[in-house]
Amino acid sequence: MKKVAALLCLGLVIGGIVALSNQRGYAKVRAPEFAGDAGDWINSPPLSMKEIVRTHRLPGGQPVHAVLVDFWEYTCVNCVRTFPYLKSWNERYAKAGLLIVGIHTPEFGFAHDKANVQAAVKRFDLPYPILVDSGYKNWQAYANQYWPRHYLINDEGVIVDDHAGEGGYRETELQIQALLKKANPSIVLPKPMAPVRDTDSENAVCYPTTPEVYAGYQRGRLSNPGGFAPDRTGTYREPSTYEDGAPVLVGRWEATPEAVIHASRNPDEFVALAYHALDAHAVIKPEDGKPLRVYVTQDGKAVEKADKGADIHYAPDGRSYITVDAPRMYDLTKNAKFGRHILRLSSDSDRFGLYSFTFGSCTVS
């Protein structure tokens, strides 16, 4: 099994004026102007694509010979995995004329909040300009459908390359270098960076996983007979069988378009999921903004320390849990071997909101 070329989060199709491929390609069309006012920018004053192309400089005088536009969403695991490359390219090439602009277009309601985006920018230590696109104006202008999506733009304002999803890092860096060399033929540039993870190398194998699972009734489905009780609190009973990729609710839960929210403080109630993958992540929100604890089991027992995700902790009694203190993606498991598992999440909080599960599958043989 060979490595998948592009791992991505599928976005909403909202329309637009630019038709681009969903894999690497040369679009040869002019990049749209940035849409947003001064309050929509993080790490930067408002930027104008037209002005950058006209002057080849940022407002502070920094030269610009190439622009890399990165559409991302802070709960998207595939976006998060691209950050080490984006940050390294910024460090390597910003002084030589590369400008990276991250455009954050939200998937969930809470991700429209600029404060949540700012917190994510700080948590991930993103140093380049970020445009908060909560009205989807930039997403529409590019007719984008994916997180992440990278568009490389030359000093004439023309999109010369685009790539959807993870991967293609060496090819993108070579394209960046080509644009910088065109502007300054005598410039000395480093060799393209080595993969930051073994799973980004040519030796990586990516197994087919359970697709992204949505917990809300708008895009999700349940293993429970009868499915959701939309827009109200219902009492759910455990079914006799679990369907891969379809959550199971047990106890009192409120079903909303985007999430299921625990509606009691009974710690014996839970949401469970059968899935197949190497690692699992969940987007969770403390609905009242107060930190809460969610206990996590895998295959009926505490998550083994060898298989734990980055956000897993252990109580004195050995139970594995995560502390949910912000609406974001939490890393639950990172198994050494690919396989089928059942996750179970429970809490004594009635403000535990679950939005989605995402999975990873790449390893080095």
Side-chain angles (χ1 to χ4, degrees), residues 51-313:
E51 187 65 18
I52 289 170
V53 170
R54 186 181 71 83
T55 64
H56 296 176
R57 291 190 177 275
L58 292 174
Q62 183 78 6
V64 176
H65 303 303
V67 180
L68 179 63
V69 170
D70 169 43
F71 279 90
W72 66 290
E73 211 273 359
Y74 82 81
T75 69
C76 170
V77 64
N78 308 113
C79 299
V80 171
R81 287 173 58 84
T82 69
F83 291 160
Y85 293 93
L86 291 165
K87 291 195 289 185
S88 292
W89 293 339
N90 184 72
E91 183 176 351
R92 283 178 159 218
Y93 303 120
K95 292 183 179 179
L98 173 66
L99 169 66
I100 298 177
V101 177
I103 300 182
H104 183 275
T105 309
E107 180 172 14
F108 300 108
F110 59 76
H112 287 71
D113 187 338
K114 183 182 176 182
N116 288 334
V117 181
Q118 286 178 308
V121 170
K122 182 178 180 180
R123 184 169 66 254
F124 294 122
D125 193 24
L126 305 181
Y128 42 79
I130 302 293
L131 175 55
V132 179
D133 187 34
S134 294
Y136 300 91
K137 292 181 180 179
N138 295 278
W139 180 277
Q140 290 176 327
Y142 278 84
N144 186 32
Q145 301 178 41
Y146 305 98
W147 296 283
R149 185 75 175 265
H150 300 155
Y151 298 92
L152 188 60
I153 301 159
N154 68 13
D155 60 5
E156 296 178 349
V158 173
I159 299 172
V160 296
D161 190 41
D162 80 279
H163 181 74
E166 298 179 41
Y169 302 115
R170 177 181 174 85
E171 293 85 352
T172 297
E173 186 168 4
L174 289 172
Q175 291 284 342
I176 292 169
Q177 291 188 346
L179 293 180
L180 299 181
K181 288 179 179 178
K182 182 180 178 182
N184 182 4
S186 63
I187 194 171
V188 178
L189 299 174
K191 293 181 179 179
M193 58 187 292
V196 300
R197 294 173 292 261
D198 291 342
T199 52
D200 294 331
S201 71
E202 294 181 355
N203 297 324
V205 174
C206 294
Y207 297 94
T209 69
T210 298
E212 184 170 7
V213 173
Y214 294 99
Y217 69 77
Q218 191 172 62
R219 289 185 284 176
R221 58 191 177 90
L222 294 179
S223 287
N224 300 75
F228 293 100
D231 296 318
R232 65 184 179 88
T233 297
T235 299
Y236 296 84
R237 301 188 184 282
E238 187 173 13
S240 58
T241 60
Y242 284 29
E243 181 184 353
D244 190 286
V248 168
L249 298 178
V250 174
R252 300 278 290 170
W253 293 84
E254 178 188 357
T256 74
E258 289 191 340
V260 289
I261 302 170
H262 193 208
S264 85
R265 297 186 177 183
N266 184 347
D268 294 327
E269 298 176 350
F270 60 85
V271 55
L273 182 75
Y275 73 99
H276 57 282
L278 275 164
D279 51 83
H281 317 267
V283 176
I284 304 174
K285 178 187 176 187
E287 297 295 331
D288 60 359
K290 299 178 182 178
L292 59 94
R293 180 174 290 192
V294 174
Y295 288 95
V296 182
T297 68
Q298 186 178 46
D299 302 327
K301 57 184 180 180
V303 178
E304 299 285 351
K305 291 187 176 181
D307 295 326
K308 78 181 192 71
D311 289 302
I312 290 288
H313 303 282

